[in-house]
Amino acid sequence: MKKRKKILFKIIALALVMSFSIAEPVAVYAKTSEELEQDQKKLEQEEKALEKQKKDLEKQSKDSQNKLNSANSKIGDYSEAKEDTQEAIDETNTELVGLMADIEMIKEDIAYKEELIDKTQKEYDEAKEHEETLYAAMVQRVKYMYEKGNLSYVQILLTATSYSDALNKVNFVENLYEYDRIKLAEYVAAKEAAQAYGEQLEGEKAELETSQYELEQEQEYMEELLAQYKATYADYEVKIAKAKQDAAVYTAQIKSQQSGIASLQKQIEAKQKEVDEAKKATQEAKVAEDAAKAEAEGNGTGNTDVAFGDSGQISGGSGSSGSGSGGSKSYSSPGSLSGSNVASYACQFVGNPYVAGGTSLTNGADCSGFVQSVYKAFGVSVPRTSWAQGSYGREVSYSDAQPGDVIYYGGHVGIYIGGGQIVHASTQKTGIKYSPATYRSIISVRRFI
């Protein structure tokens, strides 16, 4: 009887366990705990695969974002460089206009010098002709007087009819000699003056021709530079268009990748829920199986409440998975920056050669290269061309010019050294030399310091 009651009690207990299990929807076990555990592992593998896809897609998205940032940076850099190139084009066009105006002005100066040279040549020829004529007349007069025997004052006195007549004759001869001497000296002086003036004009003409050559070289250089700027400008437009195209592609990629990441995140969350439910079902199945096994063996009643009480917990599991970059000549140093030091330093190079397009103070420079290199020695950066130097710094009047100031003549520049003198790279014939500051018409006096 007792045995039957004991069996009945076990059946009732098992029925109670089964009734509580039916209250939970996931506790209806169609599979064994081992099968459920296999399903759980499969779900966990699928979750890991989804997380790997998400991680790879996040890496691709990060790479796309870096490429997009690079493309946007290029767009900014190219746009800024394009604007700078446009400014350079505008400045170069302005310089070209000024250069062409200076070239025309120098051509007019050369034409005027040629007129003066022609006029001076005529004056020289006339003075020389007068000199030769007077000299020939004087020779004839001396010869006539010699042939007539009128060469001595004694003869003049012997032929005089009176004392006053003798004085008159003596005075006449002396006045005649004095007249010839003065006139001859005048014509000789006129001829020499004309010759000297002609040589001066020839030198000034040579200076103007050198300036014209330099300006034409600068114009040619500016035209080449302008062509380069325009080519660079067009190249930047192409680069900007390409960078914008790349940015659009990367933006589309990022948008697609972010959408994919969001979709994968939802799948991972859903898969995590499935894993959690599978873990819970596996544990509950194990608890139920353990309870049934204990009941079948007749020694599990004491642990039934414990096993049942833990059926809703997942021990040792986790609800989510975590995932978690010059020559032998010596030169003194420039010294401190001052106008007088600039002038003194520049004077050291007098006698060195003129080289068109050169910037070497020892091996050769043109006028603007000479000025640029002198100031560079003092750490002062000035433009390369004479035209640009003619508008650089601030303007002062010639009456206020100080040593170190730069005088612009139109296609030519020199450094004022005081005392009405300049030092400049003049011509290939004369090299670096001194000249009067007013040897040509001054267009502007510039002060760079």
Side-chain angles (χ1 to χ4, degrees), residues 157 160-169:
L157 293 174
T161 57
S162 65
Y163 178 71
S164 61
D165 183 35
L167 289 177
N168 288 336
K169 286 184 177 183

Side-chain angles (χ1 to χ4, degrees), residues 105-174:
M105 181 181 67
I106 286 180
K107 286 180 178 178
E108 292 176 2
D109 287 346
I110 291 173
Y112 177 67
K113 293 293 182 184
E114 288 175 344
E115 291 178 4
L116 290 179
I117 289 171
D118 291 341
K119 181 180 177 182
T120 304
Q121 185 62 44
K122 291 178 182 179
E123 292 175 356
Y124 172 81
D125 293 340
E126 290 176 1
K128 190 171 184 301
E129 183 180 354
H130 281 302
E131 176 200 2
E132 292 173 351
T133 301
L134 181 60
Y135 181 76
M138 186 173 64
V139 169
Q140 289 296 326
R141 190 157 35 247
V142 171
K143 181 180 178 183
Y144 175 78
M145 293 174 66
Y146 176 77
E147 290 175 348
K148 296 298 184 179
N150 296 327
L151 291 177
S152 68
Y153 288 106
V154 175
Q155 291 175 329
I156 292 173
L157 293 174
L158 291 175
T159 58
T161 57
S162 65
Y163 178 71
S164 61
D165 183 35
L167 289 177
N168 288 336
K169 286 184 177 183
V170 170
N171 287 335
F172 173 76
V173 172
E174 289 181 348

Side-chain angles (χ1 to χ4, degrees), residues 91-92 94-96 98-99 102 211 214-223 225 357-359 366-373 381-392 406-408 410-414 446 448:
E91 290 176 1
T92 305
T94 301
E95 289 194 19
L96 274 172
L99 284 171
D102 286 347
S211 297
E214 289 183 356
L215 283 176
E216 288 172 346
Q217 290 295 109
E218 289 180 19
Q219 180 182 351
E220 182 179 346
Y221 167 74
M222 288 296 177
E223 288 172 348
L225 192 61
T359 58
D366 57 22
C367 65
S368 56
F370 175 69
V371 172
Q372 184 191 50
S373 295
S381 177
V382 302
R384 174 64 182 86
T385 65
S386 60
W387 185 89
Q389 291 174 6
S391 58
Y392 185 72
V406 174
I407 299 182
Y408 177 59
H412 191 71
V413 285
R446 315 300 301 186
F448 293 172

Side-chain angles (χ1 to χ4, degrees), residues 117 120 192-206:
I117 289 171
T120 304
E192 292 176 349
Q195 184 178 7
Y197 186 49
E199 291 174 354
Q200 177 187 339
L201 290 173
E202 288 289 352
E204 293 175 359
K205 178 185 174 184

